[in-house]
């Protein structure tokens, strides 16, 4: 593996303690010869044990630690890219578990196939595996999984077992060639807020302009613990603001990247699944809850339209601009 490229492992973190420590230690146990670890910490106050751990890791040169006074998952990703050295930049979450061959599984794809510009790794998602009771296996995704209008309801990077080209990756386990950011100038859109849902989907749709493929490799797997708090949740998942940004992010994805027909199909499925609660969402069909979700759905659309109008004079890269002024 000496000819494998340097990999920059980026871990954005927010309000995580022991899980963050365990995730970092798992990365440091990798048997890959060339990698660096960048931790972008957006937590204002850590527990003493975590604070000491991060300080020791940084002082020993095992990680590069960056402490920020703002919270944005796409902003943290952009921040780390500008400070990374690797030919490959790999993004993981701060609540994951790895096996020692994880980095090698990502790296080999870039060495073996020059057409690959991104690798989407398999995610053993605790919640989704619980729903399927571990009984579901998919060899190849259906053709709908490559349709930008409805792909988001057909892409399954949890149960799929065969390598194949995909439309998008999951943010907790994805890597890209550096030139995607440098040569093609693609950045994560910092207007995706809340849990930043769809920020990686937006990035991957714009990634297509590079001409590279996104390759799904089930051997590049990790376990995603999926904690409800911390991580990318810069606002509470139970808050009204979270509900508003959830729908805003979906509408923004469509307005930015899809044709009119594709966007209508996305918004129709969004309403059917997340508002009416039909499968695969399985939400409560209570009239009050459906009515409440409908309100957020339409408010999210209006907010996304406002975001697009504002983009004529402001592209929303707030944190990247702050970084450039430092």
């Amino acid at each position: 593996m000496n000819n494998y490229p340097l990999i920059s492992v980026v871990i954005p973190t927010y309000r995580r303690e022991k899980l963050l420590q365990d995730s970092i230690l798992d990365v440091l146990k990798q048997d890959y010869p060339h990698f660096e670890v960048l931790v972008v910490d957006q937590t204002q106050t850590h527990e003493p044990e975590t604070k000491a751990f991060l300080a020791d890791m940084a002082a020993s040169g095992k990680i590069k630690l960056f402490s920020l006074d703002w919270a944005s998952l796409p902003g943290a990703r952009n921040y780390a890219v500008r400070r990374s050295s690797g030919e490959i930049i790999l993004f993981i979450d701060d609540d994951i578990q790895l096996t020692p061959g994880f980095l090698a599984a990502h790296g080999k794809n870039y060495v073996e196939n020059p057409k690959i510009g991104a690798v989407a790794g398999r995610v053993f998602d605790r919640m989704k595996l619980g729903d399927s009771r571990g009984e579901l296996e998919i060899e190849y995704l259906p053709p709908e999984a490559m349709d930008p209008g409805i792909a988001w309801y057909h892409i399954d990077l949890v149960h799929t077992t065969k390598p194949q080209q995909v439309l998008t990756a999951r943010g907790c386990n994805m890597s890209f060639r550096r030139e995607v950011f440098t040569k093609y100038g693609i950045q994560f859109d910092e207007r995706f807020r809340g849990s930043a849902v769809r920020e990686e989907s937006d990035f991957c749709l714009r990634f297509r302009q590079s001409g590279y493929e996104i390759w799904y490799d089930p051997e590049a797997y990790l376990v995603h613990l999926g904690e409800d708090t911390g991580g990318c949740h810069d606002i509470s998942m139970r808050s009204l603001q979270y509900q508003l940004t959830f729908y805003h992010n979906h509408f923004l994805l469509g307005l930015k990247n899809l044709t009119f027909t594709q966007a209508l199909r996305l918004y129709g499925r969004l309403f059917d699944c997340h508002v009416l609660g039909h499968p695969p969402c399985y939400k409560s069909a209570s009239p009050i809850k459906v009515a409440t979700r409908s309100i957020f759905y339409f408010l999210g659309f209006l907010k996304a339209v406002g975001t697009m109008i504002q983009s004529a004079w402001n592209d929303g890269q707030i944190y990247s601009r702050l970084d450039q002024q430092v």
Side-chain angles (χ1 to χ4, degrees):
M1 291 191 293
N2 288 329
N3 65 329
Y4 277 30
L6 172 66
I7 296 180
S8 296
V9 182
V10 174
I11 309 176
T13 184
Y14 182 74
R15 293 184 179 177
R16 287 270 164 80
E17 305 295 338
K18 185 62 165 60
L19 287 175
L20 170 62
Q21 298 180 47
D22 293 341
S23 298
I24 292 173
L25 291 175
D26 267 11
V27 176
L28 295 176
K29 293 175 184 176
Q30 293 296 296
D31 55 15
Y32 192 82
H34 316 295
F35 70 96
E36 61 176 2
V37 183
L38 292 82
V39 177
V40 185
D41 189 8
Q42 301 167 100
T43 307
Q44 298 306 302
T45 305
H46 272 298
E47 295 175 357
E49 294 81 3
T50 306
K51 184 177 180 180
F53 172 85
L54 293 173
D56 289 344
M57 290 289 106
S60 64
K62 294 180 179 179
I63 67 171
K64 295 180 180 179
L65 178 64
F66 304 96
S67 298
L68 306 177
D69 59 3
W70 43 263
S72 164
L73 177 59
R77 295 197 202 280
N78 290 331
Y79 185 95
V81 169
R82 291 189 289 270
R83 286 157 177 81
S84 63
S85 302
E87 182 182 340
I88 306 301
I89 303 175
L90 188 155
F91 300 96
I92 59 174
D93 281 2
D94 55 1
D95 59 341
I96 52 87
Q97 296 174 342
L98 305 177
T99 55
F102 174 72
L103 292 186
H106 271 269
K108 71 177 176 60
N109 287 283
Y110 297 101
V111 174
E112 295 175 356
N113 190 345
K115 293 182 180 180
I116 292 176
V119 173
R122 188 175 184 181
V123 178
F124 287 104
D125 187 298
R126 184 175 61 179
M127 182 179 298
K128 292 186 177 181
L129 288 172
D131 291 342
S132 67
R133 298 189 296 274
E135 299 174 357
L136 177 62
E137 283 195 1
I138 302 169
E139 289 195 348
Y140 293 99
L141 295 168
E144 292 85 352
M146 291 297 289
D147 181 337
I150 57 173
W152 326 107
Y153 298 92
H154 297 276
I155 295 174
D156 186 334
L157 304 186
V158 176
H159 301 98
T160 303
T161 60
K162 298 289 187 181
Q164 57 200 279
Q165 186 176 354
V166 292
L167 185 67
T168 188
R170 284 190 60 175
C172 64
N173 184 6
M174 60 183 184
S175 62
F176 302 90
R177 292 190 188 271
R178 168 172 291 278
E179 64 182 85
V180 171
F181 303 93
T182 55
K183 180 178 178 180
Y184 298 97
I186 305 173
Q187 291 183 298
F188 292 95
D189 190 332
E190 295 166 7
R191 295 172 295 184
F192 284 80
R193 300 286 294 174
S195 68
V197 62
R198 294 298 170 219
E199 57 95 21
E200 77 267 48
S201 305
D202 170 75
F203 184 91
C204 287
L205 287 178
R206 289 182 288 121
F207 164 91
R208 294 179 296 176
Q209 67 187 258
S210 70
Y212 280 122
E213 296 178 357
I214 302 177
W215 191 252
Y216 171 68
D217 186 351
E219 293 184 5
Y221 68 88
L222 54 70
V223 176
H224 185 223
L225 300 176
E227 295 297 307
D228 290 335
T229 59
C232 64
H233 306 297
D234 62 350
I235 55 179
S236 170
M237 294 182 69
R238 297 182 183 275
S239 70
L240 299 181
Q241 186 182 358
Y242 174 87
Q243 297 299 322
L244 180 60
T245 55
F246 174 85
Y247 291 108
H248 163 270
N249 290 357
H250 281 82
F251 283 115
L252 183 60
L253 172 77
L255 291 172
K256 285 184 60 184
N257 301 287
L258 304 184
T259 66
F260 180 76
T261 301
Q262 289 172 338
L264 283 182
R265 294 166 69 206
L266 170 63
Y267 302 156
R269 288 301 302 271
L270 179 67
F271 189 85
D272 183 69
C273 183
H274 290 281
V275 176
L276 298 181
H278 294 157
C281 292
Y282 299 103
K283 292 189 175 183
S284 170
S286 160
I288 294 177
K289 291 188 176 180
V290 170
T292 301
R293 294 195 294 261
S294 296
I295 292 172
F296 284 115
Y297 177 92
F298 288 109
L299 289 177
F301 172 73
L302 294 176
K303 186 173 177 62
V305 170
T307 297
M308 290 300 295
I309 293 172
Q310 188 179 15
S311 66
W313 63 88
N314 180 5
D315 62 3
Q317 297 298 93
I318 300 171
Y319 304 108
S320 289
R321 284 205 177 85
L322 286 174
D323 190 29
Q324 292 165 5
Q325 295 171 4
V326 175

